[in-house]
Amino acid sequence: KWFNESLEVGVVTTQALYALGGRRFAYIGNDNAGVGPAVSQNGGLTFKGYWWPKGFSPAAPARYGAFPSEKTWYVTGGMWPQQNQSSSLHEVTSRLAVDKRTGKVSRRVGAPAAAPVPGYGAMISKSTDGGATWTAQYNTTGEFYMNGIDCASETVCVAVAEGFSQDGATVPGVTVLMTTDGNKWEKVYSYGAGSDGSAISVKMVSTTEAWVAATSGSGLGTKAQFLHTTDGGKTWTEGTALAMVGDVMEMSFVNATTAYAVAVTAEEVSTILAMGVN
């Protein structure tokens, strides 16, 4: 049966939707009421916003989130030098744009056509009371911007950031950040600093095992690689390069050895990737 969806929070801009179990869903985004996460307790019929405070992160709007428990939530934020020269385009990332009229996805590499305004900003925030209050745990400008985040527990989480030297990032490529105490975030790995490295999705399989879907190169030289740690982020392996596969938008793990992912290829069409499937 189809329902006419009613949003308590108004018109929404989001690219991060989450199933939290049962009839609970969440998204990270913004609308005319605020910026941050909104949660549904009734199967998506209505959502209630648990917004960041006004002025909480002007340099890094909310992007992705993780909900390891009912009360403990994390939300990343990010801003990059804007390339968008058309109101018909929505920039999903610094290098990936969607035409709002046609739904076509395009991947762009290179410096902005005009002077970059604003610059890079990155934020990781945390709530321990179900979104009633928020604390900024990681906050920086100029280095990169945040993308995905995932947690294996309330205190063990991994997040990914990306930046590009062509438009002023002081820490270009992919930066993987990790917390093991739920408070302090440390940079544990970097990838593709000199080859337009980027990453959107990260998934934790356990408190010691995690995957990051990374991309590097441009044009016909674009390739995807899955970064993998099994020792809590101390060491990482870079998987086999998948030629012509561009941005990996999302990963989903059935178990530790079976997973699926969706990506945009170098030819700007969608594809499905699989691990552990015959």
Side-chain angles (χ1 to χ4, degrees):
K1 184 177 180 180
W2 291 89
F3 292 89
N4 202 4
E5 185 179 32
S6 172
L7 292 175
E8 294 178 357
V9 292
V11 178
V12 175
T13 300
T14 182
Q15 61 197 40
L17 303 172
Y18 305 93
L20 305 182
R23 291 174 59 80
R24 298 178 67 239
F25 295 87
Y27 70 79
I28 310 296
N30 64 84
D31 76 340
N32 54 5
V35 176
V39 177
S40 173
Q41 306 286 351
N42 57 9
L45 294 179
T46 58
F47 285 81
K48 179 180 178 181
Y50 296 88
W51 309 127
W52 283 347
K54 298 291 186 182
F56 182 69
S57 182
R63 289 184 54 71
Y64 294 91
F67 301 82
S69 71
E70 184 175 353
K71 295 294 185 180
T72 300
W73 305 347
Y74 294 85
V75 173
T76 66
M79 179 66 75
W80 55 87
Q82 298 295 296
Q83 297 193 51
N84 193 350
Q85 304 298 310
S86 170
S87 60
S88 66
L89 294 178
H90 168 66
E91 291 187 356
V92 179
T93 70
S94 174
R95 292 297 184 263
L96 202 65
V98 177
D99 191 315
K100 291 181 285 187
R101 301 164 301 181
T102 65
K104 179 176 173 56
V105 177
S106 58
R107 191 168 193 264
R108 300 170 296 175
V109 176
V117 178
Y120 282 100
M123 157 76 80
I124 302 175
S125 65
K126 181 181 181 181
S127 174
T128 57
D129 52 16
T133 60
W134 291 94
T135 300
Q137 294 191 318
Y138 189 91
N139 196 353
T140 183
T141 58
E143 292 187 326
F144 42 59
Y145 66 93
M146 301 304 306
N147 279 325
I149 183 171
D150 196 36
C151 298
S153 70
E154 290 186 339
T155 58
V156 180
C157 306
V158 176
V160 291
E162 65 182 22
F164 302 91
S165 58
Q166 300 99 317
D167 48 19
T170 58
V171 183
V174 175
T175 299
V176 182
L177 300 99
M178 186 170 186
T179 180
T180 56
D181 63 3
N183 293 302
K184 183 180 179 181
W185 290 85
E186 297 183 351
K187 300 172 183 175
V188 296
Y189 195 70
S190 60
Y191 168 90
S195 56
D196 286 317
S198 65
I200 300 172
S201 183
V202 56
K203 284 291 182 289
M204 296 206 74
V205 179
S206 69
T207 56
T208 58
E209 185 175 7
W211 293 83
V212 171
T215 305
S216 64
S218 61
L220 298 181
T222 301
K223 64 180 181 180
Q225 286 183 279
F226 288 86
L227 316 180
H228 186 209
T229 181
T230 57
D231 57 9
K234 295 182 179 65
T235 61
W236 293 78
T237 58
E238 298 180 2
T240 302
L242 303 177
M244 298 291 289
V245 176
D247 301 86
V248 180
M249 306 300 296
E250 185 62 86
M251 295 182 286
S252 179
F253 279 77
V254 179
N255 52 49
T257 59
T258 306
Y260 295 89
V262 291
V264 179
T265 72
E267 297 173 317
E268 300 181 349
V269 296
S270 60
T271 189
I272 298 175
L273 310 174
M275 177 184 75
V277 178
N278 294 325

